[in-house]
Short mmCIF file of all heavy atoms in Angstrom, two decimals:
data_model
loop_
_atom_site.label_atom_id
_atom_site.label_comp_id
_atom_site.label_asym_id
_atom_site.label_seq_id
_atom_site.Cartn_x
_atom_site.Cartn_y
_atom_site.Cartn_z
N TRP A 126 120.11 130.35 74.22
CA TRP A 126 120.55 130.73 75.57
C TRP A 126 121.83 129.99 75.91
O TRP A 126 121.93 128.78 75.76
CB TRP A 126 119.46 130.39 76.59
CG TRP A 126 118.21 131.21 76.40
CD1 TRP A 126 118.14 132.51 76.00
CD2 TRP A 126 116.86 130.79 76.60
NE1 TRP A 126 116.84 132.94 75.94
CE2 TRP A 126 116.03 131.91 76.30
CE3 TRP A 126 116.27 129.60 77.00
CZ2 TRP A 126 114.64 131.86 76.39
CZ3 TRP A 126 114.88 129.54 77.09
CH2 TRP A 126 114.08 130.66 76.79
N ASP A 127 122.81 130.73 76.38
CA ASP A 127 124.10 130.09 76.63
C ASP A 127 124.10 129.28 77.92
O ASP A 127 125.07 128.58 78.22
CB ASP A 127 125.23 131.13 76.65
CG ASP A 127 125.09 132.11 77.81
OD1 ASP A 127 124.06 132.08 78.51
OD2 ASP A 127 126.02 132.91 78.01
N HIS A 128 123.02 129.37 78.70
CA HIS A 128 122.92 128.53 79.90
C HIS A 128 121.45 128.32 80.23
O HIS A 128 120.56 129.09 79.82
CB HIS A 128 123.64 129.18 81.08
CG HIS A 128 122.96 130.43 81.56
ND1 HIS A 128 123.16 131.67 80.98
CD2 HIS A 128 122.08 130.64 82.58
CE1 HIS A 128 122.44 132.59 81.61
NE2 HIS A 128 121.77 131.99 82.58
N VAL A 129 121.19 127.26 80.95
CA VAL A 129 119.86 126.95 81.48
C VAL A 129 120.02 126.61 82.95
O VAL A 129 121.13 126.63 83.48
CB VAL A 129 119.19 125.79 80.70
CG1 VAL A 129 118.83 126.22 79.29
CG2 VAL A 129 120.09 124.55 80.68
N TRP A 130 118.91 126.27 83.62
CA TRP A 130 118.98 126.05 85.07
C TRP A 130 118.30 124.76 85.50
O TRP A 130 117.37 124.27 84.86
CB TRP A 130 118.30 127.21 85.82
CG TRP A 130 118.92 128.54 85.58
CD1 TRP A 130 120.19 128.95 85.90
CD2 TRP A 130 118.28 129.68 84.98
NE1 TRP A 130 120.38 130.27 85.56
CE2 TRP A 130 119.23 130.74 84.99
CE3 TRP A 130 117.01 129.92 84.45
CZ2 TRP A 130 118.94 132.00 84.47
CZ3 TRP A 130 116.73 131.18 83.93
CH2 TRP A 130 117.68 132.20 83.95
N ILE A 131 118.78 124.27 86.63
CA ILE A 131 118.11 123.18 87.36
C ILE A 131 117.86 123.69 88.77
O ILE A 131 118.75 124.28 89.40
CB ILE A 131 118.99 121.91 87.40
CG1 ILE A 131 119.19 121.34 86.00
CG2 ILE A 131 118.37 120.86 88.32
CD1 ILE A 131 120.19 120.20 85.94
N TYR A 132 116.65 123.46 89.27
CA TYR A 132 116.31 123.83 90.65
C TYR A 132 116.13 122.54 91.46
O TYR A 132 115.52 121.57 90.98
CB TYR A 132 115.00 124.63 90.69
CG TYR A 132 114.92 125.72 89.66
CD1 TYR A 132 113.89 125.76 88.73
CD2 TYR A 132 115.89 126.73 89.59
CE1 TYR A 132 113.80 126.76 87.77
CE2 TYR A 132 115.81 127.74 88.64
CZ TYR A 132 114.76 127.74 87.72
OH TYR A 132 114.69 128.74 86.78
N ARG A 133 116.64 122.54 92.68
CA ARG A 133 116.56 121.32 93.51
C ARG A 133 116.08 121.68 94.91
O ARG A 133 116.55 122.62 95.53
CB ARG A 133 117.93 120.65 93.59
CG ARG A 133 117.92 119.29 94.32
CD ARG A 133 119.33 118.76 94.49
NE ARG A 133 120.10 119.55 95.47
CZ ARG A 133 121.41 119.41 95.68
NH1 ARG A 133 122.11 118.56 94.95
NH2 ARG A 133 122.01 120.14 96.60
N PHE A 134 115.12 120.89 95.39
CA PHE A 134 114.63 121.06 96.76
C PHE A 134 114.12 119.72 97.28
O PHE A 134 113.71 118.86 96.50
CB PHE A 134 113.53 122.14 96.84
CG PHE A 134 112.31 121.84 96.01
CD1 PHE A 134 111.24 121.12 96.53
CD2 PHE A 134 112.22 122.30 94.70
CE1 PHE A 134 110.11 120.86 95.77
CE2 PHE A 134 111.10 122.04 93.92
CZ PHE A 134 110.04 121.33 94.47
N PRO A 135 114.14 119.50 98.60
CA PRO A 135 113.67 118.23 99.17
C PRO A 135 112.19 118.03 98.91
O PRO A 135 111.39 118.99 98.97
CB PRO A 135 113.96 118.38 100.67
CG PRO A 135 114.98 119.47 100.77
CD PRO A 135 114.69 120.41 99.64
N GLU A 136 111.82 116.80 98.62
CA GLU A 136 110.40 116.50 98.48
C GLU A 136 109.71 116.78 99.82
O GLU A 136 110.15 116.27 100.86
CB GLU A 136 110.20 115.03 98.09
CG GLU A 136 108.72 114.68 97.89
CD GLU A 136 108.50 113.24 97.46
OE1 GLU A 136 109.44 112.41 97.59
OE2 GLU A 136 107.38 112.94 97.03
N PRO A 137 108.66 117.60 99.82
CA PRO A 137 108.00 117.94 101.09
C PRO A 137 107.48 116.71 101.83
O PRO A 137 106.87 115.83 101.23
CB PRO A 137 106.85 118.85 100.65
CG PRO A 137 107.31 119.43 99.35
CD PRO A 137 108.09 118.33 98.68
#
Side-chain angles (χ1 to χ4, degrees):
W126 294 325
D127 65 352
H128 68 277
V129 291
W130 299 297
I131 295 172
Y132 314 122
R133 186 186 71 190
F134 60 89
E136 181 178 15

